[in-house]
Amino acid sequence: MSENSIMTIADFNIETITTETKSALDVHSNIIAAEQSAANAMLSLCENLKKMRDTKLFKSLGFDKFEDYTERACNIKKRQAYNYIQTYERLGKSVMQSNAQLGITKLQLLTEVCAVERDDFIEKNDLDGMSVSEIKKLVEDNRHQGEQLSFLS
């Protein structure tokens, strides 16, 4: 089992199931379900903000501008709304879905990695266990390495 994979009940070294162990396993299951719900909610937020903006449905709710809608009706700052949409557009549904546990800030940094190299970048690095600043540095190093390779060729 890899360091960052989710542990299932079979992964725990439990010899006897007590009332406390059963309670712990129930709470663990709830945590895993909530984590998946949070990831799905972020993806849904991104998709629906994009849909609202692209189709201009906000106008039928009495708003002239998308930014007014997000700030007044959703309490989402204009910049944050556009960050969600841009991240979704650049990464796509499948990349966001499979990496949603990283959170929007780390996902947004992934948009700066060349699309051709992105899957390899994700696979080679333990992004889940890294801080935002560590990922930022890794992305910058990757960009500089790509620029050097382009220069040489």
Side-chain angles (χ1 to χ4, degrees), residues 87-122:
T87 302
Y88 179 77
E89 289 174 334
R90 289 184 177 177
L91 293 181
K93 185 175 183 170
S94 64
V95 172
M96 281 197 70
Q97 204 163 28
S98 57
N99 295 285
Q101 80 284 356
L102 295 175
I104 194 65
T105 306
K106 290 180 180 181
L107 287 170
Q108 192 173 7
L109 287 170
L110 284 179
T111 66
E112 298 177 29
V113 176
C114 172
V116 174
E117 300 171 4
R118 193 174 294 133
D119 288 340
D120 195 40
F121 182 87
I122 292 168

Side-chain angles (χ1 to χ4, degrees), residues 22-78:
K22 168 91 172 83
S23 180
L25 291 171
D26 289 344
V27 170
H28 173 72
S29 294
N30 291 340
I31 290 168
I32 300 307
E35 182 180 41
Q36 187 59 51
S37 292
N40 289 338
M42 183 181 62
L43 183 62
S44 178
L45 175 64
C46 294
E47 288 176 325
N48 285 297
L49 283 170
K50 177 177 169 34
K51 183 177 182 177
M52 183 65 80
R53 182 202 63 188
D54 292 353
T55 60
K56 298 187 183 340
L57 287 170
F58 56 87
K59 290 186 179 214
S60 68
L61 299 176
F63 295 94
D64 292 328
K65 296 190 287 184
F66 175 70
E67 298 82 9
D68 293 337
Y69 162 75
T70 61
E71 290 190 10
R72 292 190 6 234
C74 304
N75 199 26
I76 299 173
K77 297 288 182 212
K78 168 183 154 180

Side-chain angles (χ1 to χ4, degrees), residues 125-143:
N125 296 290
D126 174 23
L127 302 175
D128 220 5
M130 297 172 81
S131 69
V132 169
S133 58
E134 288 171 327
I135 294 173
K136 188 180 278 189
K137 182 174 178 353
L138 197 61
V139 167
E140 288 172 9
D141 292 347
N142 185 67
R143 188 178 318 122

